[in-house]
Amino acid sequence: MISPSQPTAVRGPALTFTGDPFRDGLDRTMIHEPDAIVVMQDGLITQFGPAARIAPLLPPGTEVRDFGRNALISAGFVDTHVHFPQMPMIASYGTQLLDWLERYTFPTEQRFADRAYTREVARRFLRESLRNGITTSCVYGTVHAHSADILFEEAEALGLRLAAGKVLMDCHAPEALRDTPQSAYDESLALIRKWHGRGRLLYAITPRFACTSSREQLAAAGALWREHPDCLMQTHLSETEAEVARIRELFPERRSYLDVYDHYGLCRKGAVFGHGICLDEEELQHLHATGAAIAHCPTSNFFLGSGVFDIARARRADRPLRVGLGTDLGAGTSFSILQTLNEAYKAAQLNRHPLSAAHAYYLATRGSAAAMHLEDKVGSIAPGMEADLVVLDMRSTPLIDFRMDEARDFGEQLFVQMILGDDRAVQATYVAGHPVHDRGRGVCFP
């Protein structure tokens, strides 16, 4: 019989959210404890609160790692849209989306026919994510079924909460990257049976986007999702005006880009649509009504010149959408969630709706978990939640250290981090209560 693990704990300033500050306000949803203890056991958070209250409750001998007053303990970051096979091509001098896919993405993804290469990139991708405090991701593979299989194997070894899927793509792409409606269904079904719900892993049915799937393949994806409704579904939606125009050419019978997916049963709770820049009001209303989500990918949107997502419009009070944050590598330019928030702030500014630092941190944690309908498992610090944490160093560089001395309050301290911070700010990352990255102690992955 396996005995329960011993409790461990971390101590320091902490930030978490109990609800949605866009809807209910920061005063009702944000918790900032200047000196907190988070207790973890058997992969879950068991206690959380002010150190003065929690410390006397700890069992004798409980190991408490005190990160000090210049740290910030948060729920692990959640990345709702990312392509692990595009890691080798990050920072490729680009044209805009459709040309960029032809020039860089498709040639790179053909290399993933090689299983050994796939495993090497999967390992690097997961470790780089953890080094940046990302503990949950919604990940695209390639058309090769083993791309998802190998990623799941590596994620399972790390104990991660992760969703992923093999890409479905049967037209308007190189022959070497095409499947068929039947093979897409069969291979995805086999992966679902093997991995979905195994440990902390989830399957995401993954048509790349409507431009590269035939009507028959979209119908097959919709049928698969009806048969396995607790899976996620991820794809791209309205990233650029040129893409939207291409969809009108390919699907003239459908009213809109979103209507293509909706017609084939691919727009409901559990759908995570990447980008969503060029949506009309009727599409936004339908996303709200169905509980589908948008993954906001600002570094990618700026890098490819795709456009500027308007989060204030998406979160409008009378029909708020679920919105998560996505790094969208490799058009996205950084694994750093802090740098991604930097760009999200700029996008909001361009839309004349400033994004506060506290709202941004919600977006990177509980908000992104909610986009994946995982807010009951990850994204917050509370008893019963999975023990995935990131610990930030609030004085990680000389400039930040200097700037923090001038910060007037906690909100300004947070803002400094999301504008000036990067991977150097991540002191430690915990997955299911275990340190998988610890800059101070040299612990780096099991």
Side-chain angles (χ1 to χ4, degrees):
M1 181 177 179
I2 299 173
S3 60
S5 66
Q6 293 299 308
T8 60
V10 293
R11 180 172 181 172
L15 171 67
T16 193
F17 298 88
T18 60
D20 180 352
F22 287 93
R23 182 188 63 210
D24 299 323
L26 289 170
D27 289 345
R28 296 176 59 189
T29 59
M30 187 178 87
I31 295 175
H32 171 226
E33 290 288 354
D35 183 16
I37 290 179
V38 183
V39 185
M40 302 171 285
Q41 187 172 13
D42 297 325
L44 300 176
I45 296 168
T46 58
Q47 297 180 79
F48 167 62
R53 177 171 64 84
I54 300 297
L57 305 177
L58 296 175
T62 300
E63 179 188 349
V64 181
R65 174 78 186 278
D66 190 343
F67 283 94
R69 63 186 183 88
N70 291 319
L72 183 66
I73 302 166
S74 166
F77 295 134
V78 179
D79 186 349
T80 62
H81 185 98
V82 61
H83 300 257
F84 96 85
Q86 294 182 21
M87 186 178 176
M89 53 176 279
I90 189 171
S92 294
Y93 177 78
T95 54
Q96 294 195 336
L97 173 65
L98 298 180
D99 290 336
W100 190 81
L101 288 171
E102 296 285 348
R103 181 177 298 185
Y104 297 114
T105 303
F106 292 157
T108 298
E109 291 192 1
Q110 290 182 54
R111 299 177 66 187
F112 285 78
D114 182 334
R115 290 173 178 266
Y117 183 71
T118 300
R119 190 172 301 279
E120 177 190 354
V121 177
R123 285 175 174 168
R124 288 180 181 273
F125 166 79
L126 293 174
R127 282 152 178 75
E128 192 66 22
S129 295
L130 291 170
R131 202 175 64 78
N132 281 272
I134 298 168
T135 54
T136 295
S137 301
C138 198
V139 190
Y140 287 66
T142 65
V143 73
H144 312 97
H146 65 251
S147 69
D149 200 40
I150 288 170
L151 181 68
F152 279 131
E153 288 175 0
E154 295 297 325
E156 183 179 54
L158 292 165
L160 291 174
R161 167 71 62 187
L162 179 134
K166 95 160 209 92
V167 161
L168 315 184
M169 187 161 63
D170 70 337
C171 60
H172 308 298
E175 187 64 35
L177 288 178
R178 293 188 193 182
D179 53 11
T180 69
Q182 191 62 52
S183 68
Y185 178 94
D186 292 344
E187 290 173 352
S188 298
L189 177 59
L191 289 163
I192 290 169
R193 288 173 171 170
K194 181 176 181 180
W195 291 109
H196 183 64
R198 176 167 155 176
R200 304 179 70 201
L201 303 173
L202 303 167
Y203 197 79
I205 298 165
T206 308
R208 179 179 224 110
F209 66 151
C211 288
T212 53
S213 284
S214 64
R215 290 166 177 78
E216 294 75 17
Q217 186 170 77
L218 292 171
L224 185 63
W225 202 16
R226 284 193 300 276
E227 295 158 11
H228 300 274
D230 57 339
C231 289
L232 296 175
M233 192 289 302
Q234 60 180 347
T235 190
H236 296 79
L237 173 67
S238 296
E239 186 172 352
T240 69
E241 293 286 359
E243 178 195 6
V244 173
R246 180 67 172 143
I247 293 295
R248 282 196 294 267
E249 294 173 0
L250 293 171
F251 298 90
E253 72 279 13
R254 303 266 58 92
R255 192 201 71 77
S256 67
Y257 197 162
L258 183 63
D259 186 47
V260 174
Y261 293 126
D262 192 47
H263 177 76
Y264 293 104
L266 298 172
C267 181
R268 62 168 174 81
K269 176 183 175 181
V272 182
F273 292 105
H275 303 285
I277 296 171
C278 311
L279 296 170
D280 63 27
E281 182 56 32
E282 185 174 336
E283 290 173 300
L284 292 169
Q285 292 279 0
H286 194 62
L287 288 167
H288 165 72
T290 57
I294 294 293
H296 177 24
C297 307
T299 73
S300 169
N301 296 341
F302 286 140
F303 180 73
L304 291 178
S306 299
V308 184
F309 178 73
D310 189 344
I311 191 169
R313 179 173 178 243
R315 295 286 309 171
R316 206 176 73 193
D318 62 324
R319 50 111 185 93
L321 271 60
R322 291 178 182 248
V323 176
L325 192 72
T327 61
D328 194 25
L329 301 169
T333 54
S334 179
F335 275 90
S336 172
I337 293 296
L338 297 177
Q339 282 300 293
T340 306
L341 291 177
N342 178 331
E343 299 301 308
Y345 173 77
K346 295 171 187 174
Q349 283 287 74
L350 287 169
N351 284 302
R352 302 295 185 264
H353 291 101
L355 178 67
S356 82
H359 287 86
Y361 278 79
Y362 164 80
L363 191 65
T365 52
R366 187 183 178 100
S368 286
M372 296 174 65
H373 291 272
L374 292 175
E375 65 267 43
D376 61 332
K377 295 179 174 62
V378 297
S380 301
I381 303 175
M385 299 293 287
E386 296 173 0
D388 294 347
L389 303 174
V390 60
V391 183
L392 299 180
D393 175 2
M394 300 288 275
R395 293 178 178 266
S396 59
T397 70
L399 176 59
I400 293 174
D401 183 46
F402 173 74
R403 179 64 179 85
M404 288 289 283
D405 289 336
E406 305 297 324
R408 293 165 294 181
D409 55 29
F410 180 63
E412 189 169 341
Q413 292 173 358
L414 276 183
F415 188 73
V416 169
Q417 304 306 314
M418 71 181 245
I419 300 302
L420 299 179
D422 53 29
D423 59 305
R424 292 169 291 180
V426 177
Q427 287 194 73
T429 306
Y430 287 77
V431 167
H434 299 287
V436 291
H437 168 66
D438 193 321
R439 194 182 65 194
R441 292 184 172 180
V443 176
C444 194
F445 320 119

